[in-house]
Amino acid sequence: MFRKLRRVLCAVATALVLPLAGVHTADAADAPGAGYWHTSGRQILDAAGQPVRIAGINWFGFETGNHVVHGLWSRDYKSMIDQMRSLGYNTIRLPYSDEILKSGTVPNSIDFSGGKNADLQGLDSLQIMDRIVAYAGQDGLKVILDRHRPDSGGQSALWYTSSVPESTWIADLKALAARYRGQDTVIGIDLHNEPHDPACWGCGDTTVDWRLAAERAGNAVLSVNPDLLVFVEGVQTYNGVSGWWGGNLMGVAQYPVRLNVANRVVYSAHDYATSVAQQPWFSDPAFPANMPGVWDKYWGYLFKQNIAPVWVGEFGTTLASATDQKWLAALVSYLRPTSTYGADSISWTFWSWNPNSGDTGGILKDDWQTVDTVKDGYLASIKAPLFPGTGGGSGGGGGGSTASCSAAYTVSSDWGGGFNAEVTVTNTGAKAIGSWKVTWTWSGSQQVTSMWNASYAQSGATVTAVNAAHNGGVPVGGSVSFGFGGAPGGGAVPSVSCTAA
């Protein structure tokens, strides 16, 4: 119902940001996610028929006037992908506009100083996208291409405009599908971002019926690359009931998307909090207990009734209000924790990696390096294992027989009554490690109040933190991190020990 205000703040950072060490997934034959994927009922399955869960992040910029992902004015693209991986995100959604397929489109705002982004010099937007896809695949991440808007000027209600007709939209989708044919890092294409009024679902008018347009475009994509998943977002209004742009999938029950290749459709919903816009359910006296019923009505029924997989392609918030905090906690619970349900869960990509989304902020803070550990911590229970990498990235395996690690403890904020801290675990041995444990003893009365990207036990002043399922594996020289909140503040930084296996 409401336009999301993506106020892009593109000030170029001047500080040199050091790349983070990368982490890799071993190419284990039995690791979920290998090959191209397909659907069965509400699940997404890999080439071997194993269920997989998309648990990822949006990294925007190709759809803007920069014609390339944002943040490259501050950091090397490889260091950002490595950091995504170290935090446990297994998929990147890459928004783009059709402008990047035009000849002569030149990416801008990339910093090449100090060796950053050296291999991107002289490349056009599509060639840079190639490099991002290749490196993400090496790191064990998948990529979903998102046709976000026809041009960099702004979002469009329909999939076409007077300057970008449907024929161009379809031709460009086919061109990208063909470009990445045979590269199973790219698992699918999100056909168009956030269709909204006057877009309809099932009304039969080919000029505004998004369901029929999705069938035309989806079949065109599969005609050149039949292995891809086709991600289809909802609309704004169905039978007089309105919701978020792209978030209303009520019409699927009567009018499903029919494609020429079976088991390729994944339905995508978007859902936001009050930092984006108000909705009536936020002022319901029952909030947040009313939210599962809201999600059931708009899109959750597809998963619960085993109709099709659901992927929440965008959701985000600044977390500035108590309402938004309750909303995010409720949504994370609704998406189902991986530890309980595994990949039989709703897939997702959080909005956004970028800090310069004006109405949500991002996982990164404004320096394009520091992690918002509180926001990232909300997502810890729904993160999922990474996928087999294609090899050749920044990390490596390693021979030898010694498994060892070190840990660095840093306080990120302290307000007296409490504090937040981050611990970075680095593989200092001669072989890849599969698990790690970090221990420290405080000199005061501090207690852990919450922890993300690790589990913990505390006995007196001694804390033992053990890796989560998604970040136990660390290659030689690689690093991962976890964070926690504690109370009271004002304590000294303790000595930490790390053991690896």
Side-chain angles (χ1 to χ4, degrees):
M1 183 181 300
F2 302 94
R3 178 176 181 82
K4 293 197 291 293
L5 304 175
R6 298 281 159 73
R7 298 187 298 277
V8 177
L9 313 174
C10 299
V12 177
T14 57
L16 175 64
V17 179
L18 298 177
L20 299 184
V23 184
H24 277 274
T25 299
D27 291 328
D30 59 351
Y36 282 105
W37 299 353
H38 59 283
T39 70
S40 177
R42 70 187 189 183
Q43 292 192 326
I44 301 173
L45 305 177
D46 68 7
Q50 300 181 94
V52 292
R53 182 180 205 179
I54 298 167
I57 196 79
N58 284 271
W59 187 11
F60 67 79
F62 277 112
E63 84 284 17
T64 72
N66 299 105
H67 307 302
V68 70
V69 287
H70 286 175
L72 302 190
W73 52 70
S74 292
R75 293 181 61 183
D76 184 89
Y77 76 99
K78 293 178 181 178
S79 78
M80 287 220 261
I81 295 172
D82 287 342
Q83 189 178 23
M84 293 174 194
R85 192 237 185 268
S86 75
L87 291 172
Y89 298 103
N90 65 21
T91 303
I92 304 171
R93 180 178 182 252
L94 283 180
Y96 72 89
S97 83
D98 292 74
E99 286 184 9
I100 69 167
L101 287 96
K102 291 182 178 178
S103 60
T105 298
V106 179
N108 59 77
S109 301
I110 303 175
D111 182 11
F112 299 109
S113 67
K116 292 193 293 294
N117 302 302
D119 60 334
L120 304 185
Q121 285 188 294
L123 302 186
D124 63 26
S125 295
L126 284 176
Q127 290 169 329
I128 291 177
M129 183 178 280
D130 292 343
R131 295 293 174 92
I132 290 171
V133 167
Y135 195 81
Q138 292 168 10
D139 254 6
L141 280 71
K142 296 293 190 180
V143 172
I144 298 169
L145 304 179
D146 158 44
R147 196 281 192 146
H148 208 71
R149 52 180 62 155
D151 57 57
S152 60
Q155 186 59 41
S156 62
L158 300 174
W159 54 96
Y160 63 91
T161 63
S162 58
S163 58
V164 183
E166 178 176 306
S167 58
T168 299
W169 171 56
I170 289 180
D172 288 347
L173 287 170
K174 290 176 67 176
L176 284 172
R179 186 180 191 93
Y180 295 109
R181 184 171 49 223
Q183 298 183 53
D184 58 25
T185 295
V186 177
I187 55 169
I189 300 180
D190 189 343
L191 297 177
H192 178 62
N193 186 68
E194 296 185 349
H196 54 279
D197 294 347
C200 67
W201 191 290
C203 67
D205 181 345
T206 56
T207 65
V208 293
D209 191 330
W210 168 237
R211 176 253 198 167
L212 294 179
E215 290 179 347
R216 295 191 294 273
N219 283 327
V221 164
L222 295 173
S223 72
V224 296
N225 191 342
D227 294 315
L228 292 177
L229 295 175
V230 174
F231 295 91
V232 182
E233 297 186 27
V235 291
Q236 174 185 351
T237 304
Y238 180 75
N239 280 352
V241 179
S242 295
W244 296 110
W245 288 5
N248 190 333
L249 287 158
M250 294 168 64
V252 174
Q254 185 174 356
Y255 302 106
V257 171
R258 306 152 300 181
L259 298 179
N260 295 334
V261 180
N263 303 318
R264 291 292 180 272
V265 176
V266 177
Y267 292 103
S268 176
H270 289 187
D271 203 272
Y272 279 94
T274 62
S275 65
V276 172
Q278 284 288 341
Q279 293 277 17
W281 42 82
F282 295 126
S283 57
D284 187 322
F287 178 84
N290 63 317
M291 292 309 302
V294 172
W295 296 319
D296 285 349
K297 178 176 74 172
Y298 283 102
W299 46 268
Y301 76 94
L302 295 168
F303 179 84
K304 290 190 173 182
Q305 297 178 24
N306 201 36
I307 295 171
V310 175
W311 167 56
V312 183
E314 291 184 19
F315 64 108
T317 167
T318 60
L319 287 179
S321 72
T323 297
D324 285 24
Q325 295 161 19
K326 293 175 182 177
W327 165 84
L328 184 54
L331 181 56
V332 164
S333 176
Y334 185 83
L335 298 180
R336 298 163 62 109
T338 304
S339 61
T340 303
Y341 297 98
D344 185 25
S345 304
I346 296 172
S347 289
W348 56 275
T349 44
F350 188 74
W351 186 278
S352 62
W353 180 248
N354 310 45
N356 59 329
S357 176
D359 51 6
T360 65
I363 291 298
L364 293 186
K365 296 187 176 182
D366 288 343
D367 63 1
W368 281 95
Q369 165 115 5
T370 305
V371 175
D372 185 331
T373 53
V374 174
K375 190 175 289 187
D376 182 62
Y378 272 88
L379 307 173
S381 67
I382 56 172
K383 290 179 181 177
L386 284 99
F387 307 116
T390 58
S394 66
S401 57
T402 303
S404 63
C405 59
S406 65
Y409 178 120
T410 304
V411 177
S412 55
S413 60
D414 190 323
W415 55 95
F419 67 98
N420 288 323
E422 183 173 68
V423 178
T424 300
V425 176
T426 301
N427 183 347
T428 56
K431 61 180 290 187
I433 60 178
S435 63
W436 47 262
K437 178 174 67 176
V438 174
T439 303
W440 67 87
T441 301
W442 279 307
S443 58
S445 59
Q446 285 74 26
Q447 294 285 317
V448 176
T449 55
S450 63
M451 185 173 289
W452 44 94
N453 294 322
S455 58
Y456 75 96
Q458 182 166 355
S459 176
T462 300
V463 179
T464 301
V466 177
N467 61 271
H470 64 262
N471 64 357
V474 190
V476 176
S479 297
V480 296
S481 61
F482 65 93
F484 64 91
V493 173
S495 298
V496 293
S497 63
C498 185
T499 56

